């Protein structure tokens, strides 16, 4: 699903990411860890095709730099720091907008189903401006899964979530993983990464400090490793 070779990203003269090579197979769950400023968001943005590498090559879902990025983008779901919800639209209209953008078949039905999944079925006709923070979070999570993406890219998705949204996202990620979706989760929460991921990528000052299996039966060692490079 992801093949990255020697990816580097410079901002001016400063390297945010240096020579990162990474293969992520279909169905894999990778956690991306590292201290503040280690380059996690930069790597996720590159994988989400939101920015271009300064050097190196990248292929996502079989599409390389010479191919049609939009084909790859349609297969992705991205959860970043922004909710990208429209306050002046209802919950249903927000979902319909994205469903149509992604060409989701039977969009109205899918949107109603999604509202149900995220516990907002009775609020579909409400303007999002009247929603609580938790409701917005759940709607954003619903939007993520709306077009049934094969590749989920998540940047600190659990930060600031209320308990209900946290449980919902965790359930949906586990279900997505069971369905064979590929997941890249950037997080500061080591426990969560150890609970969910197959493999860990720890970045240190833009370079790969560790790329290897998560070993849930060796929690102690995994914690030590994390503290060494990212604690
Ligand atoms: P955090 O955990 O704090 O979100 P991070 O691991 O996601 O950090 P990045 O946001 O990828 O790290 O940043 C990596 C480096 O690149 C940092 O030194 C940051 O200041 C720098 N950087 C990131 N984005 C830009 C930008 N648009 N312009 C200039 N420098 C940037």
């Amino acid at each position: 699903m992801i093949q990255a070779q020697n990816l580097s990203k410079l901002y001016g003269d400063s390297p945010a990411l240096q020579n990162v090579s990474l293969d992520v197979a279909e169905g894999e769950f990778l956690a991306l860890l590292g201290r503040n400023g280690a380059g996690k968001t930069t790597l996720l943005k590159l994988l989400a095709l939101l920015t271009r590498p300064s050097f190196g090559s990248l292929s996502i879902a079989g599409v390389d730099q010479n191919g049609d990025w939009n084909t790859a983008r349609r297969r992705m779901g991205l959860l970043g720091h922004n909710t990208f919800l429209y306050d002046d639209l209802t919950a249903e209209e927000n979902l319909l907008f994205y469903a149509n953008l992604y060409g989701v078949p039977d969009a109205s039905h899918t949107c109603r189903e999604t509202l149900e999944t995220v516990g907002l079925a009775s609020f579909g006709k409400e303007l999002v401006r009247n929603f609580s923070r938790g409701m917005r979070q759940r709607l954003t999570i619903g939007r993520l899964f709306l077009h049934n993406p094969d590749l989920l890219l998540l940047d600190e998705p659990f930060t600031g979530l209320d308990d209900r949204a946290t449980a919902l996202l965790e359930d949906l990620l586990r279900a997505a993983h069971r369905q064979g979706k590929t997941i890249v989760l950037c997080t500061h929460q080591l426990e969560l990464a150890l609970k969910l991921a197959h493999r860990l990528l720890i970045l240190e000052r833009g370079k790969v400090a560790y790329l290897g299996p998560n070993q849930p039966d060796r929690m102690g060692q995994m914690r030590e490793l994390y503290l060494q490079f990212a604690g």
Side-chain angles (χ1 to χ4, degrees), residues 9-12 14-17 32-45 81 155-156 186-188 203 205-206:
K9 179 74 186 177
L10 302 177
Y11 290 112
S14 331
L17 212 63
L32 198 52
L33 300 155
R35 293 190 181 99
N36 287 331
K40 305 180 294 295
T41 299
T42 301
L43 178 55
L44 213 72
K45 276 189 186 164
H81 297 205
D155 194 358
E156 297 285 354
C186 163
T187 181
H188 281 288
L203 288 174
R205 291 186 205 156

Side-chain angles (χ1 to χ4, degrees), residues 38-97:
K40 305 180 294 295
T41 299
T42 301
L43 178 55
L44 213 72
K45 276 189 186 164
L46 286 167
L47 300 182
L49 309 174
L50 293 174
T51 183
R52 290 195 172 261
S54 308
F55 305 103
S57 64
L58 180 63
S59 163
I60 305 277
V63 181
D64 66 16
Q65 266 127 322
N66 304 316
D68 175 12
W69 279 138
N70 285 333
T71 310
R73 286 194 183 105
R74 270 191 286 276
R75 294 183 61 188
M76 284 179 194
L78 177 65
L79 196 56
H81 297 205
N82 200 321
T83 64
F84 295 111
L85 295 175
Y86 295 98
D87 269 2
D88 294 329
L89 297 181
T90 66
E92 205 172 286
E93 286 166 347
N94 263 281
L95 292 185
L96 266 174
F97 174 77

Side-chain angles (χ1 to χ4, degrees), residues 19-223:
N19 288 321
V20 172
S21 294
L22 169 73
D23 278 359
V24 182
E26 250 182 84
E28 218 188 308
F29 197 139
L30 177 82
L32 198 52
L33 300 155
R35 293 190 181 99
N36 287 331
K40 305 180 294 295
T41 299
T42 301
L43 178 55
L44 213 72
K45 276 189 186 164
L46 286 167
L47 300 182
L49 309 174
L50 293 174
T51 183
R52 290 195 172 261
S54 308
F55 305 103
S57 64
L58 180 63
S59 163
I60 305 277
V63 181
D64 66 16
Q65 266 127 322
N66 304 316
D68 175 12
W69 279 138
N70 285 333
T71 310
R73 286 194 183 105
R74 270 191 286 276
R75 294 183 61 188
M76 284 179 194
L78 177 65
L79 196 56
H81 297 205
N82 200 321
T83 64
F84 295 111
L85 295 175
Y86 295 98
D87 269 2
D88 294 329
L89 297 181
T90 66
E92 205 172 286
E93 286 166 347
N94 263 281
L95 292 185
L96 266 174
F97 174 77
Y98 284 104
N100 289 328
L101 210 62
Y102 279 104
V104 172
D106 204 356
S108 302
H109 175 73
T110 307
C111 291
R112 278 196 302 276
E113 256 185 8
T114 300
L115 285 171
E116 192 118 354
T117 306
V118 300
L120 293 171
S122 36
F123 298 96
K125 307 282 182 215
E126 282 271 348
L127 288 180
V128 163
R129 69 165 62 256
N130 300 327
F131 275 20
S132 69
R133 197 160 131 254
M135 289 163 85
R136 283 164 189 266
Q137 290 170 343
R138 280 183 281 131
L139 189 58
T140 307
I141 293 167
R143 202 207 60 217
L144 171 69
F145 290 95
L146 196 61
H147 58 297
N148 196 20
D150 297 314
L151 173 60
L152 294 163
L153 300 170
L154 311 151
D155 194 358
E156 297 285 354
F158 290 95
T159 302
L161 287 195
D162 68 8
D163 289 350
R164 188 168 172 193
T166 300
L168 173 73
L169 182 57
E170 219 178 296
D171 284 354
L172 291 176
L173 286 183
R174 284 184 201 283
H177 188 206
R178 279 196 301 276
Q179 287 163 18
K181 309 293 188 190
T182 311
I183 304 174
V184 179
L185 165 71
C186 163
T187 181
H188 281 288
Q189 292 163 270
L190 176 68
E191 299 305 319
L192 199 81
L194 294 179
K195 205 159 65 166
L196 294 171
H198 277 149
R199 261 203 310 165
L200 308 180
L201 169 56
I202 305 180
L203 288 174
E204 192 189 26
R205 291 186 205 156
K207 293 184 180 162
V208 175
Y210 174 82
L211 175 59
N214 175 19
Q215 301 180 53
D217 50 331
R218 295 186 180 177
M219 284 285 200
Q221 278 179 22
M222 292 282 104
R223 275 195 199 98

